[in-house]
Amino acid sequence: MQHRQIAFIGAGNMSRSIILGLVRAGYPARCITAANPSRPKLDALAGETGIQITQNNLEAARGADVIVLAVKPQLMADMLAQLCAEPGILEGKLLISIAAGIRVERLAQMTRQTRIIRCMPNTPALLGLGMTGLYAPVQVDEADRHFAEQMLQAVGQTLWVAEEAGINGVIAAAGSAPAYFFLFMQAICEEAERMGFTPEQARTLVQQTAIGAAAMVEQNPTLSLSQLREQVTSKGGTTAEAIRTFQEQGLQQITSHAMQAAVRRAGEMESLF
């Protein structure tokens, strides 16, 4: 991976996970700077990784080749206005946004730059198991695309979308999706407790089963999800009865409606910023 000077503007959980992933993958800590208004977060990050830290966004941006925009969407406009107040500070630099709800066109308006890549990681990136969607307009060259891809692959897998609208699909299918699984696991846990298991026993049953099921999907790439389901569903058995109930109650339709609601909300957010 090419070693460019990277500045992270914002040192929240997602920045931390990407920085940790990069350093663990061998990216030089001296090439990474994180800027954040909160000193304790910066000190902790520097202690973990050995990167450079500053509470001054301008200082971080000046020496960077790549600037990762990692502030909350509602703070983005003010932060970019501060950077753009110094003429030329963003000139010729690759901007990578991990903020939800802000389109590339809007970022270009605020920065007057065109080398912009938009990314949507999810929270398992904190464990190096993330799934990130990426979008870049046609004017972004292959070297910049490759760099962004490799940077995000330090915390999991990546998927490019051809149209920016695809990022909203990534949000529905990956960005928000960990919460769907947590909700389903919560429901199973709560029912297991009603059956007489302790909370600790119920959690062990559910989390180990979820880990095992995900591993079976990963380790059997030639089998469809429906085939994997059929392998554990004996005709007339307990699993078949449970699956029948899920289907009768409209699990597929509920899932579809929920994901489309996430897509709609993502589109609404794009009009807010």
Side-chain angles (χ1 to χ4, degrees):
M1 182 179 183
Q2 185 183 16
H3 295 160
R4 304 186 190 184
Q5 292 291 331
I6 309 174
F8 286 79
I9 309 299
N13 285 336
M14 199 57 69
S15 289
R16 176 179 173 273
S17 67
I18 296 170
I19 291 167
L20 282 170
L22 286 169
V23 172
R24 287 169 180 166
Y27 202 90
R30 69 178 183 278
C31 294
I32 303 174
T33 300
N36 197 71
S38 170
R39 187 75 193 189
K41 278 188 177 182
L42 291 175
D43 289 338
L45 194 51
E48 283 183 287
T49 63
I51 65 164
Q52 309 301 306
I53 57 173
T54 178
Q55 290 176 275
N56 188 313
N57 292 341
L58 291 168
E59 180 183 341
R62 284 189 195 106
D65 303 308
V66 179
I67 300 175
V68 180
L69 308 175
V71 300
K72 293 179 180 179
Q74 59 268 31
L75 302 178
M76 185 69 76
D78 287 344
M79 183 273 288
L80 290 176
Q82 178 198 36
L83 291 184
C84 292
E86 182 171 310
I89 194 169
L90 301 181
E91 197 68 36
K93 298 181 180 182
L94 173 62
L95 306 180
I96 298 177
S97 172
I98 62 173
I102 307 181
R103 292 175 59 84
V104 166
E105 181 182 15
R106 176 62 178 143
L107 290 168
Q109 289 173 351
M110 290 189 284
T111 62
R112 298 184 292 280
Q113 303 300 313
T114 58
R115 289 176 67 194
I116 300 173
I117 295 176
R118 186 177 170 196
C119 305
M120 181 48 58
N122 65 6
T123 55
L126 295 167
L127 305 177
L129 297 170
M131 182 68 237
T132 301
L134 300 100
Y135 167 75
V138 293
Q139 63 266 26
V140 175
D141 67 25
E142 191 59 35
D144 284 345
R145 292 169 186 260
H146 187 60
F147 181 86
E149 181 178 58
Q150 287 194 306
M151 187 182 81
L152 273 303
Q153 283 176 348
V155 292
Q157 297 190 35
T158 58
L159 174 72
W160 285 95
V161 296
E163 304 293 336
E164 189 169 8
I167 287 291
N168 292 345
V170 170
I171 290 172
S176 298
Y180 314 160
F181 292 110
F182 298 152
L183 179 61
F184 190 48
M185 291 169 71
Q186 178 188 344
I188 301 174
C189 272
E190 290 173 352
E191 187 59 29
E193 289 178 42
R194 284 190 283 270
M195 292 175 177
F197 293 102
T198 67
E200 294 76 16
Q201 290 171 329
R203 178 163 178 146
T204 298
L205 286 168
V206 173
Q207 72 183 28
Q208 186 59 31
T209 301
I211 291 167
M216 289 186 71
V217 172
E218 184 179 44
Q219 293 177 27
N220 292 278
T222 62
L223 294 179
S224 68
L225 294 176
S226 62
Q227 287 174 313
L228 287 168
R229 173 176 55 78
E230 289 164 3
Q231 286 183 354
V232 294
T233 309
S234 301
K235 187 175 180 179
T238 58
T239 307
E241 189 64 15
I243 294 297
R244 181 189 64 78
T245 303
F246 280 131
Q247 292 174 334
E248 286 183 353
Q249 296 298 315
L251 178 62
Q252 284 92 338
Q253 293 89 340
I254 291 170
T255 303
S256 174
H257 293 163
M259 292 178 68
Q260 290 301 324
V263 170
R264 285 195 301 274
R265 181 54 183 160
E268 292 167 0
M269 289 175 64
E270 289 177 346
S271 68
L272 298 178
F273 308 109

